[in-house]
Amino acid sequence: MRFTLPFFLFVCAFGLAQDYYPKDYFGNPLDVTLVLSGSFAELRSNHFHSGLDIKTQQREGLKVYASASGYISRIKISHYGYGKALYITHPNGYTTVYAHLQKFSPEIETYIKKLQYEKESFEIEVFPNTEELIVEKGEVIAYSGNTGGSGGPHLHFEIRDNQERPINPLLFGFDVKDTTLPVIKEVYAYPMDKHSYVNKSNEKQKLRLLSLPNGDYTVENIQAYGKIGFAIESTDRQDLAYNNNGVYNIQAFFNGNKKIDIDFKRFSFDETRHLNRFIDYGHYKTKKERLQKLFIEPNNPLSIYKDSDNYGFIRVEDSTSSVYKVAVKDFKNNTSWLTINIEGKKEQDFKVKDSFVSSYYIHADKTNELLYNHISVEFYPETFYDDFYMDFSVSNDTIKLHDDTIPVKKHFKITYDISHYDSADAHKLYIARLVGYKQHPWYSNTTKEKNLMYTITDDLGTYALVTDTIEPTIRPINFKDGQWLSKYRYLKVKIDDEGSGISNYRATVNGKWILMEYDYKTKTLTHDFNDGIITETKNNLKVIVTDNVGNNSTFETTFYRK
């Protein structure tokens, strides 16, 4: 079916008024059984997962079908993130997204490559109009792959509403076999003020989790007093995969009264980074466990909370017996229950939580500036969720900005005055974040303005000025100088940089720009001879690679084709 523009807009406007999820509108984008390696709203680094990761049998090149009729409204190709991605807008107002693709269908591939050659860029983003690339339900639009930030071959599939909010695709009738109960892995109790405690301690307490024969859980009985919150680590697994995926719903009850209802049905991209307020961020950074807090702290704007009583906190009184229960559900309503029996007991003596104090107090709702000699750090209002004492120190050109256990809501600015550096040396400097046990320098996007150098970042930790005088490396992978490549489909070159990292690259043959696709995971540039750009017998290839401080390398060779 081919839509006319007026008809398309009419149906789209009608679809926007509907407040339900059509169960038979969207079809499977692959012709294999739906097996998931990632579920909707799964907890990822700094974001909720916005779709389904569908397994492709550990292969690339599976046909990807338009899940419903519509038009290609966006095509984006990037080195990172979604890699090669297609967006289809449908008459009912929804948009489907297909990411980490290997390549597009011939019609779309021709369309996008023409633009890549015009712009002389592999990375590209375009927004075709409603009549340029119309597709029908079940039409092959692409082939599955592993491009961008993918950790293995799969198809990332999304459904978004007319406000660009991702919605759980399972609500639209997609079926994934799941009779397996969610798993609760950890349970913690949180005294929420200086007068509260659990098991005679004002510090966060890990509770000993006990598995019951019916698949439910309990913990050893606890004693508590005052304002208390709880957090759990929970995951779900479908029948046909061993992946630890996200759950669909969490509810908590205190003495039979609902305290909180957390629903992973839909969210907006504007709020997704606030996942770091939902989890115990510091715990994740130190223990690599994502504890889901069953309470809502101030400055938490997430829309995943359907209901809450006193923000999910409970108050335990002296000489009481209480029961706290948690229900963890997957999409198929498989439910695991956790029961916590609480004895209310007021103590005269309990362990007080340690606290850090410094000369640098950060007010979350104000601008805060830290100054030391030639270095300044500026935090804008609402950079952090809470006020806190910052651990700040400077040694030569190395800055300690607390550590990365404090979640950051938005970017802040680090500035160096480099006027005391020789101009030749300053030209090779960049700002790096020092990561890992060995404090490896990781390039932080650096801007130079006269005698100043600054970076805009959103991670606390250790930063330093680093010098990079090493040129990138370039070497051929599947050919050598003077070789005949008539029977070759691809031309491959490996590029790398040990210092600040690769900023850009450019390849030409006989002086004419050629498209080379960059895979940062394998550090490979690949040209497809089927582009038809290289038509001469003798060909002079030139590849120039530049790193982030301007060091560049040039590789030149000759090959032959007929």
Side-chain angles (χ1 to χ4, degrees):
M1 177 181 179
R2 294 283 168 171
F3 303 104
T4 63
L5 179 57
F7 174 76
F8 188 93
L9 295 178
F10 169 77
V11 178
C12 183
F14 176 78
L16 294 178
Q18 309 307 303
D19 190 24
Y20 67 95
Y21 303 108
K23 297 296 190 293
D24 56 359
Y25 189 87
F26 296 105
N28 190 341
L30 297 171
D31 56 8
V32 297
T33 300
L34 282 179
V35 180
L36 304 182
S37 59
S39 61
F40 182 80
E42 193 170 285
L43 310 181
R44 301 286 179 89
S45 294
N46 298 318
H47 70 284
F48 294 100
H49 188 233
S50 56
L52 303 179
D53 283 347
I54 305 173
K55 288 178 177 282
T56 56
Q57 302 171 341
Q58 301 180 335
R59 296 184 292 148
E60 297 186 41
L62 273 63
K63 292 179 180 178
V64 178
Y65 302 95
S67 188
S69 298
Y71 76 97
I72 306 292
S73 55
R74 182 183 180 192
I75 307 171
K76 185 174 183 181
I77 299 176
S78 54
H79 295 143
Y80 309 101
Y82 282 4
K84 294 185 179 182
L86 286 177
Y87 300 71
I88 302 178
T89 296
H90 305 283
N92 63 353
Y94 293 103
T95 296
T96 50
V97 182
Y98 314 77
H100 305 307
L101 302 170
Q102 180 191 65
K103 61 182 179 180
F104 307 124
S105 67
E107 179 184 3
I108 301 172
E109 193 80 6
T110 299
Y111 175 91
I112 199 66
K113 279 198 173 183
K114 180 176 182 294
L115 295 175
Q116 287 175 306
Y117 274 95
E118 287 177 0
K119 296 178 180 293
E120 296 191 354
S121 174
F122 168 62
E123 292 194 300
I124 194 169
E125 183 176 19
V126 295
F127 300 87
N129 65 46
T130 56
E131 297 179 340
E132 283 188 276
L133 294 171
I134 297 172
V135 296
E136 299 179 5
K137 183 174 183 177
E139 180 178 335
V140 176
I141 54 171
Y143 297 86
S144 66
N146 186 32
T147 57
S150 171
H154 72 277
L155 174 68
H156 175 88
F157 175 71
E158 296 178 18
I159 299 179
R160 301 181 183 180
D161 66 14
N162 62 308
Q163 298 180 52
E164 282 294 299
R165 295 176 299 186
I167 303 171
N168 191 335
L170 297 182
L171 291 165
F172 294 84
F174 293 96
D175 187 44
V176 176
K177 187 175 182 181
D178 187 358
T179 61
T180 306
L181 290 172
V183 176
I184 298 175
K185 298 181 176 181
E186 300 285 355
V187 184
Y188 280 78
Y190 292 69
M192 297 309 301
D193 57 39
K194 64 181 182 180
H195 303 295
S196 304
Y197 39 86
V198 174
N199 294 337
K200 297 184 179 182
S201 175
N202 185 237
E203 298 178 322
K204 177 178 74 176
Q205 294 293 300
K206 181 177 180 178
L207 307 183
R208 185 166 179 263
L209 187 65
L210 304 172
S211 299
L212 301 177
N214 65 351
D216 290 337
Y217 302 85
T218 188
V219 299
E220 290 184 338
N221 294 351
I222 66 171
Q223 294 180 341
Y225 179 79
K227 185 179 179 181
I228 308 296
F230 291 93
I232 62 172
E233 182 189 12
S234 63
T235 60
D236 185 47
R237 184 173 67 82
Q238 287 83 43
D239 292 4
L240 302 179
Y242 290 97
N243 303 78
N244 289 314
N245 298 143
V247 302
Y248 182 69
N249 179 269
I250 304 174
Q251 297 179 14
F253 305 84
F254 184 54
N255 293 332
N257 298 312
K258 185 186 290 186
K259 298 300 295 183
I260 199 164
D261 189 338
I262 306 170
D263 187 75
F264 301 98
K265 180 171 67 176
R266 183 183 68 191
F267 61 87
S268 70
F269 287 109
D270 288 341
E271 64 179 314
T272 190
R273 188 176 176 87
H274 296 297
L275 168 139
N276 293 334
R277 192 59 161 170
F278 170 58
I279 66 171
D280 184 331
Y281 185 79
H283 186 95
Y284 168 67
K285 284 295 183 177
T286 55
K287 302 288 188 180
K288 300 307 176 186
E289 298 168 344
R290 290 189 174 97
L291 297 179
Q292 298 140 307
K293 292 184 286 192
L294 307 182
F295 50 88
I296 307 172
E297 296 166 295
N299 302 314
N300 181 342
L302 287 171
S303 62
I304 60 176
Y305 304 105
K306 287 176 58 180
D307 193 16
S308 74
D309 172 39
N310 194 30
Y311 302 101
F313 297 109
I314 66 170
R315 181 160 292 280
V316 180
E317 303 294 345
D318 187 29
S319 302
T320 59
S321 295
S322 305
V323 178
Y324 184 87
K325 285 181 172 287
V326 182
V328 182
K329 301 180 181 180
D330 61 25
F331 187 80
K332 288 294 186 73
N333 212 37
N334 300 302
T335 305
S336 295
W337 283 91
L338 165 68
T339 300
I340 302 175
N341 294 303
I342 306 169
E343 177 189 352
K345 186 175 183 182
K346 189 172 184 178
E347 303 284 356
Q348 296 300 318
D349 187 29
F350 58 90
K351 183 179 180 182
V352 178
K353 179 168 57 178
D354 293 334
S355 58
F356 174 80
V357 178
S358 75
S359 302
Y360 306 97
Y361 190 72
I362 301 299
H363 297 272
D365 62 345
K366 298 178 181 178
T367 295
N368 299 267
E369 188 171 23
L370 305 177
L371 301 172
Y372 189 92
N373 293 339
H374 61 292
I375 298 169
S376 68
V377 184
E378 186 175 9
F379 300 107
Y380 311 107
E382 312 304 328
T383 298
F384 302 103
Y385 293 100
D386 302 305
D387 300 344
F388 69 101
Y389 284 99
M390 168 76 73
D391 185 4
F392 172 67
S393 62
V394 177
S395 176
N396 296 321
D397 289 328
T398 300
I399 315 168
K400 181 180 182 182
L401 288 174
H402 209 80
D403 55 46
D404 63 357
T405 59
I406 300 290
V408 179
K409 291 167 64 176
K410 61 184 184 182
H411 294 83
F412 59 90
K413 186 177 183 179
I414 302 172
T415 303
Y416 285 84
D417 182 337
I418 56 173
S419 57
H420 57 291
Y421 277 90
D422 178 87
S423 59
D425 295 334
H427 184 65
K428 299 298 182 182
L429 288 173
Y430 67 96
I431 301 174
R433 183 166 178 253
L434 306 184
V435 298
Y437 174 74
K438 295 184 177 180
Q439 296 286 275
H440 176 77
W442 191 266
Y443 177 78
S444 184
N445 191 31
T446 304
T447 301
K448 298 176 184 177
E449 292 182 356
K450 296 182 178 178
N451 289 324
L452 297 179
M453 178 179 292
Y454 68 86
T455 186
I456 306 294
T457 183
D458 55 10
D459 287 299
L460 294 176
T462 304
Y463 289 82
L465 279 184
V466 178
T467 300
D468 179 9
T469 59
I470 303 173
E471 298 175 349
T473 59
I474 310 169
R475 65 177 179 83
I477 296 178
N478 65 337
F479 68 97
K480 56 186 178 181
D481 187 42
Q483 187 173 345
W484 281 87
L485 304 179
S486 302
K487 296 182 180 180
Y488 281 53
R489 168 75 184 271
Y490 299 105
L491 184 72
K492 296 188 176 186
V493 174
K494 186 166 186 176
I495 62 176
D496 198 5
D497 186 76
E498 295 182 1
S500 56
I502 293 169
S503 172
N504 58 72
Y505 59 88
R506 180 180 177 82
T508 59
V509 170
N510 301 328
K512 183 185 298 183
W513 185 86
I514 62 168
L515 175 65
M516 297 200 83
E517 300 191 1
Y518 178 50
D519 181 352
Y520 77 94
K521 297 189 289 287
T522 60
K523 303 177 182 179
T524 303
L525 293 177
T526 303
H527 174 71
D528 187 348
F529 285 122
N530 284 358
D531 286 358
I533 300 300
I534 299 173
T535 58
E536 299 180 32
T537 301
K538 182 179 180 180
N539 298 281
N540 298 310
L541 171 67
K542 184 176 183 180
V543 181
I544 302 173
V545 179
T546 306
D547 68 17
N548 281 297
V549 300
N551 299 309
N552 64 78
S553 298
T554 301
F555 170 78
E556 295 187 79
T557 191
T558 300
F559 65 88
Y560 299 88
R561 279 179 64 84
K562 63 178 180 180

